[in-house]
Protein backbone atom coordinates (compact mmCIF):
# COMPACT_ATOMS: atom_id res chain seq x y z
CA UNK A 1 0.00 0.00 0.00
CA UNK A 2 1.47 3.39 -0.96
CA UNK A 3 -1.09 6.00 0.02
CA UNK A 4 -0.67 9.77 0.16
CA UNK A 5 0.35 10.73 3.71
CA UNK A 6 -2.79 12.89 3.93
CA UNK A 7 -4.94 9.90 3.09
CA UNK A 8 -3.50 7.61 5.76
CA UNK A 9 -6.04 8.73 8.36
CA UNK A 10 -8.86 7.55 6.12
CA UNK A 11 -7.36 4.10 5.59
CA UNK A 12 -7.01 0.97 7.71
CA UNK A 13 -4.28 -1.66 7.65
CA UNK A 14 -6.10 -3.96 5.24
CA UNK A 15 -6.63 -1.21 2.65
CA UNK A 16 -5.31 -1.92 -0.83
CA UNK A 17 -4.74 0.73 -3.48
CA UNK A 18 -4.68 -0.04 -7.20
CA UNK A 19 -3.64 2.87 -9.43
CA UNK A 20 -5.14 3.21 -12.91
CA UNK A 21 -2.47 4.92 -15.02
CA UNK A 22 -4.08 7.19 -17.59
CA UNK A 23 -1.82 10.25 -17.54
CA UNK A 24 -3.67 13.34 -16.37
CA UNK A 25 -6.81 11.22 -15.89
CA UNK A 26 -5.14 8.66 -13.59
CA UNK A 27 -7.03 7.62 -10.49
CA UNK A 28 -6.92 5.18 -7.62
CA UNK A 29 -9.13 2.26 -6.73
CA UNK A 30 -9.19 2.04 -2.93
CA UNK A 31 -10.25 -1.40 -1.66
CA UNK A 32 -10.86 -2.51 1.92
CA UNK A 33 -13.24 -2.99 4.84
CA UNK A 34 -15.01 -0.05 6.44
CA UNK A 35 -14.19 2.42 3.67
CA UNK A 36 -17.75 3.66 3.18
CA UNK A 37 -17.68 5.35 6.58
CA UNK A 38 -14.46 7.09 5.51
CA UNK A 39 -15.50 7.97 1.98
CA UNK A 40 -16.01 11.69 2.72
CA UNK A 41 -12.35 11.99 3.75
CA UNK A 42 -11.21 9.95 0.74
CA UNK A 43 -13.19 12.14 -1.68
CA UNK A 44 -11.94 15.31 0.02
CA UNK A 45 -8.33 14.13 -0.35
CA UNK A 46 -8.73 13.69 -4.11
CA UNK A 47 -11.33 16.21 -5.20
CA UNK A 48 -11.42 18.79 -2.42
CA UNK A 49 -14.68 19.97 -0.84
CA UNK A 50 -16.82 19.20 -3.89
CA UNK A 51 -20.59 19.34 -3.77
CA UNK A 52 -21.84 15.79 -4.39
CA UNK A 53 -25.07 14.33 -5.70
CA UNK A 54 -25.55 10.66 -4.89
CA UNK A 55 -27.14 8.33 -7.43
CA UNK A 56 -28.14 4.98 -5.98
CA UNK A 57 -30.87 2.35 -6.12
CA UNK A 58 -33.53 1.36 -3.59
CA UNK A 59 -31.75 -1.76 -2.33
CA UNK A 60 -28.41 -0.07 -1.77
CA UNK A 61 -30.03 3.02 -0.26
CA UNK A 62 -31.96 0.85 2.22
CA UNK A 63 -28.83 -0.92 3.39
CA UNK A 64 -26.07 1.71 3.21
CA UNK A 65 -27.18 5.25 2.35
CA UNK A 66 -27.11 6.50 5.95
CA UNK A 67 -23.46 5.45 6.30
CA UNK A 68 -22.51 7.32 3.13
CA UNK A 69 -24.45 10.44 4.16
CA UNK A 70 -22.76 10.35 7.56
CA UNK A 71 -19.37 10.00 5.90
CA UNK A 72 -19.90 12.96 3.59
CA UNK A 73 -20.90 15.06 6.58
CA UNK A 74 -19.66 18.60 6.22
CA UNK A 75 -16.56 17.57 4.26
CA UNK A 76 -18.31 17.33 0.91
CA UNK A 77 -21.64 19.20 0.80
CA UNK A 78 -24.51 16.90 -0.16
CA UNK A 79 -26.66 18.27 -2.97
CA UNK A 80 -29.21 15.45 -2.74
CA UNK A 81 -29.79 11.78 -3.45
CA UNK A 82 -31.53 10.28 -6.47
CA UNK A 83 -32.76 6.76 -5.83
CA UNK A 84 -33.45 4.63 -8.90
CA UNK A 85 -35.39 1.38 -9.28
CA UNK A 86 -33.03 -1.61 -9.04
CA UNK A 87 -32.51 -3.72 -12.12
CA UNK A 88 -31.27 -3.70 -15.68
CA UNK A 89 -34.44 -1.99 -17.02
CA UNK A 90 -33.22 1.21 -15.35
CA UNK A 91 -30.45 1.49 -17.96
CA UNK A 92 -32.78 3.12 -20.51
CA UNK A 93 -32.98 6.38 -22.45
CA UNK A 94 -36.03 7.54 -20.50
CA UNK A 95 -34.34 6.91 -17.13
CA UNK A 96 -31.18 8.65 -18.34
CA UNK A 97 -33.14 11.73 -19.40
CA UNK A 98 -34.99 11.87 -16.09
CA UNK A 99 -31.74 11.37 -14.13
CA UNK A 100 -29.98 14.22 -15.97
CA UNK A 101 -32.91 16.56 -15.35
CA UNK A 102 -33.03 15.66 -11.67
CA UNK A 103 -29.28 16.26 -11.32
CA UNK A 104 -29.75 19.70 -12.87
CA UNK A 105 -32.64 20.38 -10.48
CA UNK A 106 -30.28 19.54 -7.60
CA UNK A 107 -28.05 22.33 -8.88
CA UNK A 108 -25.12 20.18 -9.96
CA UNK A 109 -22.65 22.42 -11.77
CA UNK A 110 -19.48 21.85 -13.77
CA UNK A 111 -17.19 21.77 -10.70
CA UNK A 112 -19.41 19.39 -8.69
CA UNK A 113 -19.41 15.61 -8.55
CA UNK A 114 -21.77 12.68 -9.07
CA UNK A 115 -21.31 9.70 -6.76
CA UNK A 116 -22.44 6.45 -8.37
CA UNK A 117 -23.36 4.37 -5.34
CA UNK A 118 -24.54 0.91 -6.31
CA UNK A 119 -23.98 -2.01 -8.62
CA UNK A 120 -23.10 -1.91 -12.31
CA UNK A 121 -26.52 -0.61 -13.31
CA UNK A 122 -26.18 2.51 -11.15
CA UNK A 123 -22.51 2.87 -12.14
CA UNK A 124 -23.29 2.71 -15.86
CA UNK A 125 -26.24 5.12 -15.91
CA UNK A 126 -24.87 7.56 -13.31
CA UNK A 127 -21.51 7.51 -15.13
CA UNK A 128 -23.28 8.24 -18.42
CA UNK A 129 -25.21 11.13 -16.83
CA UNK A 130 -21.99 12.54 -15.30
CA UNK A 131 -20.30 12.41 -18.70
CA UNK A 132 -22.95 14.47 -20.49
CA UNK A 133 -24.21 16.75 -17.72
CA UNK A 134 -22.87 20.24 -18.47
CA UNK A 135 -20.48 18.47 -20.91
CA UNK A 136 -18.98 16.40 -18.11
CA UNK A 137 -18.77 16.57 -14.33
CA UNK A 138 -16.54 14.61 -11.94
CA UNK A 139 -17.56 11.05 -11.16
CA UNK A 140 -16.79 9.03 -8.03
CA UNK A 141 -17.64 5.36 -8.15
CA UNK A 142 -18.60 3.64 -4.91
CA UNK A 143 -19.43 0.14 -6.22
CA UNK A 144 -21.49 -2.08 -3.95
CA UNK A 145 -21.80 -5.36 -5.88
CA UNK A 146 -18.91 -7.75 -6.47
CA UNK A 147 -19.35 -7.31 -10.22
CA UNK A 148 -19.10 -3.54 -9.92
CA UNK A 149 -16.08 -3.74 -7.59
CA UNK A 150 -14.07 -5.99 -9.91
CA UNK A 151 -15.24 -4.71 -13.26
CA UNK A 152 -17.82 -2.06 -14.09
CA UNK A 153 -16.60 0.73 -11.76
CA UNK A 154 -13.12 0.62 -13.33
CA UNK A 155 -12.20 1.73 -16.82
CA UNK A 156 -14.68 4.48 -17.60
CA UNK A 157 -17.25 2.69 -19.76
CA UNK A 158 -20.77 3.98 -19.23
CA UNK A 159 -23.92 2.94 -21.03
CA UNK A 160 -27.59 2.14 -21.37
CA UNK A 161 -29.52 -0.55 -23.20
CA UNK A 162 -31.87 -0.23 -26.18
CA UNK A 163 -34.22 -2.74 -27.82
CA UNK A 164 -31.39 -3.34 -30.32
CA UNK A 165 -29.02 -4.60 -27.66
CA UNK A 166 -27.10 -4.02 -24.49
CA UNK A 167 -24.80 -1.07 -23.83
CA UNK A 168 -25.02 0.05 -27.46
CA UNK A 169 -25.31 3.70 -26.37
CA UNK A 170 -22.69 5.07 -24.02
CA UNK A 171 -19.55 7.07 -23.41
CA UNK A 172 -16.07 6.73 -21.96
CA UNK A 173 -15.87 8.79 -18.77
CA UNK A 174 -13.22 7.84 -16.23
CA UNK A 175 -14.03 8.24 -12.54
CA UNK A 176 -11.78 10.43 -10.38
CA UNK A 177 -11.78 7.85 -7.59
CA UNK A 178 -13.18 4.36 -6.95
CA UNK A 179 -13.96 3.36 -3.35
CA UNK A 180 -14.67 -0.36 -2.93
CA UNK A 181 -15.76 -1.18 0.60
CA UNK A 182 -15.62 -4.96 0.87
CA UNK A 183 -17.94 -4.88 3.92
CA UNK A 184 -20.91 -3.67 1.87
CA UNK A 185 -20.83 -7.00 0.04
CA UNK A 186 -22.23 -8.61 3.21
CA UNK A 187 -25.71 -7.37 2.25
CA UNK A 188 -25.42 -8.45 -1.39
CA UNK A 189 -27.74 -11.40 -2.20
CA UNK A 190 -25.75 -14.59 -2.73
CA UNK A 191 -26.96 -15.06 -6.30
CA UNK A 192 -25.59 -11.60 -7.13
CA UNK A 193 -22.26 -12.39 -5.45
CA UNK A 194 -22.01 -15.59 -7.48
CA UNK A 195 -22.74 -13.68 -10.70
CA UNK A 196 -20.00 -11.16 -9.88
CA UNK A 197 -17.61 -14.03 -9.25
CA UNK A 198 -17.91 -14.97 -12.93
CA UNK A 199 -16.09 -11.70 -13.77
CA UNK A 200 -13.36 -12.54 -11.24
CA UNK A 201 -12.79 -15.92 -12.90
CA UNK A 202 -12.71 -14.15 -16.28
CA UNK A 203 -9.44 -12.40 -15.39
CA UNK A 204 -7.78 -15.74 -14.71
CA UNK A 205 -9.18 -17.34 -17.85
CA UNK A 206 -8.28 -14.51 -20.18
CA UNK A 207 -4.72 -13.81 -19.14
CA UNK A 208 -3.50 -15.15 -15.79
CA UNK A 209 -3.36 -18.91 -15.31
CA UNK A 210 -1.72 -18.50 -11.88
CA UNK A 211 -4.66 -16.42 -10.69
CA UNK A 212 -7.02 -19.13 -11.97
CA UNK A 213 -4.98 -21.80 -10.10
CA UNK A 214 -5.25 -19.65 -6.96
CA UNK A 215 -9.00 -19.22 -7.44
CA UNK A 216 -9.41 -23.00 -7.63
CA UNK A 217 -7.87 -23.17 -4.14
CA UNK A 218 -9.39 -20.01 -2.68
CA UNK A 219 -12.99 -20.04 -3.96
CA UNK A 220 -14.51 -21.19 -0.66
CA UNK A 221 -12.64 -18.51 1.32
CA UNK A 222 -13.67 -15.83 -1.17
CA UNK A 223 -17.33 -16.83 -0.83
CA UNK A 224 -17.02 -16.98 2.97
CA UNK A 225 -15.69 -13.41 3.12
CA UNK A 226 -12.15 -14.26 4.31
CA UNK A 227 -9.03 -12.24 3.45
CA UNK A 228 -8.91 -13.97 0.04
CA UNK A 229 -11.95 -11.88 -0.95
CA UNK A 230 -9.98 -8.60 -0.78
CA UNK A 231 -7.09 -10.28 -2.57
CA UNK A 232 -9.37 -11.49 -5.39
CA UNK A 233 -10.86 -8.01 -5.80
CA UNK A 234 -7.41 -6.40 -5.84
CA UNK A 235 -6.00 -8.87 -8.40
CA UNK A 236 -9.06 -8.40 -10.62
CA UNK A 237 -8.76 -4.61 -10.44
CA UNK A 238 -5.01 -4.78 -11.19
CA UNK A 239 -5.73 -6.91 -14.26
CA UNK A 240 -8.41 -4.54 -15.50
CA UNK A 241 -6.33 -1.43 -14.68
CA UNK A 242 -3.37 -2.80 -16.68
CA UNK A 243 -5.53 -3.49 -19.73
CA UNK A 244 -7.34 -0.13 -19.53
CA UNK A 245 -4.04 1.76 -19.15
CA UNK A 246 -2.77 0.07 -22.32
CA UNK A 247 -5.96 0.38 -24.39
CA UNK A 248 -8.46 2.81 -22.88
CA UNK A 249 -10.76 2.98 -25.93
CA UNK A 250 -10.82 -0.73 -26.81
CA UNK A 251 -8.93 -0.59 -30.07
CA UNK A 252 -6.98 -3.72 -29.18
CA UNK A 253 -6.24 -5.58 -25.95
CA UNK A 254 -9.24 -4.29 -24.00
CA UNK A 255 -11.47 -6.45 -26.20
CA UNK A 256 -10.14 -9.47 -24.28
CA UNK A 257 -12.25 -8.33 -21.33
CA UNK A 258 -15.21 -9.39 -23.46
CA UNK A 259 -14.39 -13.09 -23.04
CA UNK A 260 -17.78 -14.81 -22.90
CA UNK A 261 -19.61 -11.54 -23.60
CA UNK A 262 -20.55 -11.96 -27.27
CA UNK A 263 -22.48 -15.12 -26.40
CA UNK A 264 -23.45 -13.73 -22.99
CA UNK A 265 -24.98 -10.48 -24.26
CA UNK A 266 -27.03 -12.40 -26.82
CA UNK A 267 -28.33 -14.70 -24.08
CA UNK A 268 -29.19 -11.71 -21.88
CA UNK A 269 -31.11 -10.12 -24.75
CA UNK A 270 -32.98 -13.42 -25.27
CA UNK A 271 -33.90 -13.45 -21.57
CA UNK A 272 -35.11 -9.84 -21.85
CA UNK A 273 -32.39 -8.45 -19.50
CA UNK A 274 -34.41 -9.84 -16.64
CA UNK A 275 -33.83 -11.77 -13.43
CA UNK A 276 -34.17 -14.92 -15.52
CA UNK A 277 -30.49 -14.54 -16.31
CA UNK A 278 -28.13 -12.15 -14.54
CA UNK A 279 -25.23 -10.61 -16.47
CA UNK A 280 -22.65 -12.71 -14.61
CA UNK A 281 -24.67 -15.88 -15.21
CA UNK A 282 -24.91 -15.07 -18.92
CA UNK A 283 -21.17 -14.58 -19.25
CA UNK A 284 -20.52 -17.75 -17.25
CA UNK A 285 -22.42 -19.65 -19.97
CA UNK A 286 -20.67 -17.47 -22.57
CA UNK A 287 -17.20 -18.32 -21.26
CA UNK A 288 -18.07 -22.03 -21.09
CA UNK A 289 -19.20 -21.81 -24.75
CA UNK A 290 -15.99 -19.97 -25.72
CA UNK A 291 -13.88 -22.74 -24.14
CA UNK A 292 -15.97 -25.55 -25.66
CA UNK A 293 -15.94 -23.98 -29.12
CA UNK A 294 -12.20 -23.28 -28.90
CA UNK A 295 -11.70 -26.92 -27.97
CA UNK A 296 -13.83 -28.09 -30.93
CA UNK A 297 -11.75 -25.88 -33.23
CA UNK A 298 -8.58 -27.58 -31.97
CA UNK A 299 -7.33 -24.37 -30.35
CA UNK A 300 -7.57 -25.33 -26.69
CA UNK A 301 -7.16 -28.66 -24.89
CA UNK A 302 -10.23 -30.51 -23.64
CA UNK A 303 -8.58 -30.60 -20.23
CA UNK A 304 -8.44 -26.79 -19.99
CA UNK A 305 -12.02 -26.47 -21.23
CA UNK A 306 -13.19 -29.00 -18.61
CA UNK A 307 -11.26 -27.23 -15.83
CA UNK A 308 -12.81 -23.86 -16.67
CA UNK A 309 -16.31 -25.34 -16.83
CA UNK A 310 -15.81 -27.35 -13.62
CA UNK A 311 -14.83 -24.18 -11.77
CA UNK A 312 -17.98 -22.32 -12.84
CA UNK A 313 -20.09 -25.32 -11.85
CA UNK A 314 -18.38 -25.56 -8.45
CA UNK A 315 -19.23 -21.89 -7.88
CA UNK A 316 -22.89 -22.67 -8.65
CA UNK A 317 -22.85 -20.78 -11.96
CA UNK A 318 -24.69 -22.00 -15.08
CA UNK A 319 -22.63 -23.29 -18.02
CA UNK A 320 -25.30 -24.58 -20.40
CA UNK A 321 -27.71 -22.70 -22.65
CA UNK A 322 -30.41 -25.22 -21.67
CA UNK A 323 -30.18 -24.06 -18.04
CA UNK A 324 -31.72 -20.66 -18.82
CA UNK A 325 -35.03 -20.52 -16.93
CA UNK A 326 -37.94 -20.07 -19.32
CA UNK A 327 -36.21 -21.85 -22.17
CA UNK A 328 -33.19 -21.74 -24.43
CA UNK A 329 -33.16 -19.64 -27.61
CA UNK A 330 -32.94 -21.32 -31.00
CA UNK A 331 -29.56 -21.11 -32.76
CA UNK A 332 -31.00 -18.75 -35.40
CA UNK A 333 -32.27 -16.31 -32.78
CA UNK A 334 -28.95 -16.45 -30.97
CA UNK A 335 -26.95 -15.78 -34.15
CA UNK A 336 -29.20 -12.83 -35.03
CA UNK A 337 -28.65 -11.38 -31.56
CA UNK A 338 -24.89 -11.95 -31.86
CA UNK A 339 -24.93 -9.98 -35.13
CA UNK A 340 -26.18 -6.95 -33.13
CA UNK A 341 -23.12 -7.03 -30.89
CA UNK A 342 -21.12 -3.81 -30.75
CA UNK A 343 -17.97 -5.70 -31.63
CA UNK A 344 -19.33 -6.36 -35.11
CA UNK A 345 -17.05 -4.95 -37.80
CA UNK A 346 -18.04 -5.06 -41.48
CA UNK A 347 -20.83 -7.45 -40.55
CA UNK A 348 -18.48 -9.96 -38.84
CA UNK A 349 -18.70 -10.33 -35.09
CA UNK A 350 -15.33 -10.47 -33.28
CA UNK A 351 -15.12 -13.33 -30.80
CA UNK A 352 -12.78 -13.86 -27.92
CA UNK A 353 -11.49 -17.41 -28.17
CA UNK A 354 -8.86 -19.22 -26.09
CA UNK A 355 -5.72 -21.24 -26.70
CA UNK A 356 -5.86 -22.41 -23.09
CA UNK A 357 -6.51 -21.08 -19.60
CA UNK A 358 -4.98 -17.59 -19.43
CA UNK A 359 -4.54 -17.40 -23.21
CA UNK A 360 -7.47 -15.51 -24.74
CA UNK A 361 -7.20 -13.80 -28.12
CA UNK A 362 -9.48 -11.87 -30.49
CA UNK A 363 -10.72 -13.91 -33.48
CA UNK A 364 -11.81 -11.58 -36.29
CA UNK A 365 -12.24 -14.32 -38.92
CA UNK A 366 -14.67 -16.60 -37.21
CA UNK A 367 -15.80 -19.66 -39.16
CA UNK A 368 -19.53 -18.82 -39.02
CA UNK A 369 -20.60 -22.18 -40.44
CA UNK A 370 -18.83 -24.08 -37.69
CA UNK A 371 -20.23 -21.65 -35.13
CA UNK A 372 -23.75 -22.18 -36.44
CA UNK A 373 -23.35 -25.93 -36.26
CA UNK A 374 -21.92 -25.67 -32.72
CA UNK A 375 -24.74 -23.40 -31.52
CA UNK A 376 -27.43 -25.63 -33.07
CA UNK A 377 -26.14 -28.49 -30.94
CA UNK A 378 -25.77 -26.34 -27.80
CA UNK A 379 -29.24 -24.80 -28.13
CA UNK A 380 -30.80 -28.26 -28.47
CA UNK A 381 -28.92 -29.45 -25.38
CA UNK A 382 -26.38 -31.71 -27.12
P1 LIG B 1 -26.98 -4.40 -10.47
O1 LIG B 1 -26.45 -3.04 -10.44
O2 LIG B 1 -28.34 -4.64 -11.01
O3 LIG B 1 -26.92 -4.96 -8.98
C1 LIG B 1 -27.40 -6.25 -8.72
C2 LIG B 1 -28.49 -6.23 -7.63
O4 LIG B 1 -27.83 -6.17 -6.37
C3 LIG B 1 -29.45 -5.06 -7.68
O5 LIG B 1 -30.71 -5.51 -7.28
C4 LIG B 1 -28.88 -4.10 -6.65
O6 LIG B 1 -29.88 -3.28 -6.08
C5 LIG B 1 -28.34 -5.07 -5.62
N1 LIG B 1 -27.22 -4.58 -4.82
C6 LIG B 1 -26.07 -4.03 -5.26
N2 LIG B 1 -25.24 -3.84 -4.23
C7 LIG B 1 -25.88 -4.29 -3.13
C8 LIG B 1 -25.52 -4.38 -1.76
N3 LIG B 1 -24.32 -4.05 -1.31
N4 LIG B 1 -26.44 -4.87 -0.89
C9 LIG B 1 -27.67 -5.28 -1.33
N5 LIG B 1 -28.05 -5.25 -2.61
C10 LIG B 1 -27.15 -4.75 -3.49
O7 LIG B 1 -26.03 -5.42 -11.28
P2 LIG B 1 -24.46 -5.66 -11.29
O8 LIG B 1 -24.30 -7.11 -11.42
O9 LIG B 1 -23.78 -4.96 -10.17
O10 LIG B 1 -24.02 -4.95 -12.64
C11 LIG B 1 -24.49 -5.39 -13.88
C12 LIG B 1 -24.43 -4.26 -14.84
O11 LIG B 1 -23.06 -3.85 -15.00
C13 LIG B 1 -24.91 -4.61 -16.24
O12 LIG B 1 -25.78 -3.60 -16.68
C14 LIG B 1 -23.65 -4.63 -17.08
O13 LIG B 1 -23.88 -4.26 -18.42
C15 LIG B 1 -22.81 -3.62 -16.38
N6 LIG B 1 -21.38 -3.76 -16.61
C16 LIG B 1 -20.69 -2.67 -16.99
C17 LIG B 1 -19.33 -2.73 -17.18
C18 LIG B 1 -18.56 -1.50 -17.54
O14 LIG B 1 -17.37 -1.60 -17.84
N7 LIG B 1 -19.15 -0.35 -17.49
C19 LIG B 1 -18.67 -3.95 -17.00
C20 LIG B 1 -19.40 -5.06 -16.62
C21 LIG B 1 -20.77 -4.95 -16.41
Amino acid sequence: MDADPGMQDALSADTRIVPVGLGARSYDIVIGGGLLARSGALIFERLGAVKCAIVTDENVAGAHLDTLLGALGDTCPHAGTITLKPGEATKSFSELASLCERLLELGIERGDAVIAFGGGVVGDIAGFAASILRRGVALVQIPTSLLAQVDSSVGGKTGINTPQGKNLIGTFHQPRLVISDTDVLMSLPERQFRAGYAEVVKYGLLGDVEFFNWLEKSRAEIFAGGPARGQAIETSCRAKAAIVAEDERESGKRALLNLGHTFGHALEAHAGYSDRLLHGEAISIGMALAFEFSNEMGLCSGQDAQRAIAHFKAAGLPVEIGRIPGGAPGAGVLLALIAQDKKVQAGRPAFILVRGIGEAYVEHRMDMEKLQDFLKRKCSGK
Side-chain angles (χ1 to χ4, degrees), residues 59-74:
N59 296 333
V60 176
H64 302 291
L65 183 59
D66 286 348
T67 310
L68 176 57
L69 290 176
L72 291 181
D74 300 329

Side-chain angles (χ1 to χ4, degrees), residues 57 59-60 63-64 86-88 91 118-122 124 144-145 147-148 151-152 154 157-158 161 166-167 184-185 187-189 192 199 240 254 261 265 268 279:
D57 76 18
N59 296 333
V60 176
H64 302 291
E88 196 65 36
K91 278 177 51 176
V121 164
V122 165
D124 277 8
T144 62
S145 67
L147 183 141
D151 193 356
S152 58
V154 177
K157 278 192 187 177
T158 80
N161 307 322
K166 206 172 141 67
N167 298 330
V184 302
L185 298 176
S187 61
L188 187 70
Q192 296 289 350
E199 300 278 8
K240 181 146 188 191
R254 188 164 179 171
H261 282 57
H265 281 168
E268 275 186 282
H279 176 71

